Short mmCIF file of all heavy atoms in Angstrom, two decimals:
data_model
loop_
_atom_site.label_atom_id
_atom_site.label_comp_id
_atom_site.label_asym_id
_atom_site.label_seq_id
_atom_site.Cartn_x
_atom_site.Cartn_y
_atom_site.Cartn_z
N VAL A 84 9.73 10.13 2.89
CA VAL A 84 8.98 10.74 1.78
C VAL A 84 9.78 10.61 0.48
O VAL A 84 9.23 10.27 -0.57
CB VAL A 84 8.60 12.20 2.07
CG1 VAL A 84 8.09 12.90 0.83
CG2 VAL A 84 7.58 12.27 3.19
N ALA A 85 11.08 10.86 0.55
CA ALA A 85 11.93 10.73 -0.63
C ALA A 85 11.94 9.29 -1.15
O ALA A 85 11.85 9.06 -2.36
CB ALA A 85 13.35 11.18 -0.30
N GLU A 86 12.01 8.33 -0.25
CA GLU A 86 11.98 6.91 -0.62
C GLU A 86 10.65 6.54 -1.28
O GLU A 86 10.61 5.86 -2.31
CB GLU A 86 12.22 6.06 0.62
CG GLU A 86 12.40 4.59 0.35
CD GLU A 86 12.65 3.79 1.62
OE1 GLU A 86 12.81 4.36 2.72
OE2 GLU A 86 12.68 2.56 1.51
N ALA A 87 9.56 7.02 -0.70
CA ALA A 87 8.22 6.75 -1.25
C ALA A 87 8.05 7.42 -2.61
O ALA A 87 7.52 6.81 -3.55
CB ALA A 87 7.14 7.21 -0.29
N LYS A 88 8.49 8.67 -2.74
CA LYS A 88 8.38 9.37 -4.02
C LYS A 88 9.15 8.65 -5.12
O LYS A 88 8.67 8.55 -6.25
CB LYS A 88 8.87 10.81 -3.88
CG LYS A 88 7.88 11.73 -3.22
CD LYS A 88 8.43 13.10 -2.92
CE LYS A 88 8.95 13.85 -4.09
NZ LYS A 88 9.41 15.22 -3.75
N LYS A 89 10.32 8.13 -4.80
CA LYS A 89 11.10 7.39 -5.80
C LYS A 89 10.35 6.14 -6.24
O LYS A 89 10.28 5.83 -7.43
CB LYS A 89 12.47 7.02 -5.25
CG LYS A 89 13.31 6.24 -6.26
CD LYS A 89 14.72 6.11 -5.85
CE LYS A 89 15.60 5.34 -6.81
NZ LYS A 89 15.07 4.89 -8.06
N ALA A 90 9.75 5.43 -5.28
CA ALA A 90 8.97 4.22 -5.62
C ALA A 90 7.77 4.58 -6.49
O ALA A 90 7.43 3.85 -7.42
CB ALA A 90 8.51 3.51 -4.34
N ILE A 91 7.14 5.70 -6.20
CA ILE A 91 5.99 6.15 -6.99
C ILE A 91 6.43 6.51 -8.41
O ILE A 91 5.81 6.08 -9.39
CB ILE A 91 5.30 7.35 -6.30
CG1 ILE A 91 4.68 6.90 -4.97
CG2 ILE A 91 4.24 7.97 -7.21
CD1 ILE A 91 4.30 8.04 -4.04
N GLN A 92 7.50 7.26 -8.53
CA GLN A 92 7.99 7.66 -9.85
C GLN A 92 8.46 6.47 -10.68
O GLN A 92 8.32 6.48 -11.90
CB GLN A 92 9.15 8.65 -9.71
CG GLN A 92 8.71 10.03 -9.32
CD GLN A 92 9.89 10.97 -9.17
OE1 GLN A 92 10.77 10.72 -8.35
NE2 GLN A 92 9.89 12.04 -9.94
N ASP A 93 9.02 5.45 -10.03
CA ASP A 93 9.52 4.28 -10.74
C ASP A 93 8.42 3.31 -11.18
O ASP A 93 8.66 2.45 -12.02
CB ASP A 93 10.52 3.51 -9.87
CG ASP A 93 11.84 4.25 -9.68
OD1 ASP A 93 12.08 5.23 -10.42
OD2 ASP A 93 12.62 3.86 -8.79
N ALA A 94 7.23 3.45 -10.59
CA ALA A 94 6.15 2.51 -10.87
C ALA A 94 5.53 2.75 -12.25
O ALA A 94 5.41 3.88 -12.70
CB ALA A 94 5.07 2.63 -9.80
N ASP A 95 5.14 1.65 -12.89
CA ASP A 95 4.35 1.74 -14.12
C ASP A 95 2.86 1.82 -13.79
O ASP A 95 2.08 2.34 -14.57
CB ASP A 95 4.59 0.51 -15.00
CG ASP A 95 6.03 0.43 -15.48
OD1 ASP A 95 6.58 1.48 -15.88
OD2 ASP A 95 6.61 -0.67 -15.43
N LEU A 96 2.49 1.28 -12.63
CA LEU A 96 1.10 1.26 -12.18
C LEU A 96 1.08 1.27 -10.67
O LEU A 96 1.87 0.57 -10.02
CB LEU A 96 0.38 0.01 -12.70
CG LEU A 96 -1.07 -0.17 -12.25
CD1 LEU A 96 -1.97 0.86 -12.91
CD2 LEU A 96 -1.55 -1.58 -12.53
N ILE A 97 0.16 2.05 -10.11
CA ILE A 97 -0.01 2.10 -8.65
C ILE A 97 -1.37 1.52 -8.32
O ILE A 97 -2.37 1.85 -8.94
CB ILE A 97 0.11 3.54 -8.13
CG1 ILE A 97 1.52 4.06 -8.40
CG2 ILE A 97 -0.24 3.61 -6.65
CD1 ILE A 97 1.70 5.54 -8.09
#
Side-chain angles (χ1 to χ4, degrees):
V84 168
E86 188 179 353
K88 282 172 58 176
K89 180 169 180 5
I91 294 165
Q92 285 179 301
D93 289 347
D95 296 317
L96 177 70
I97 296 173

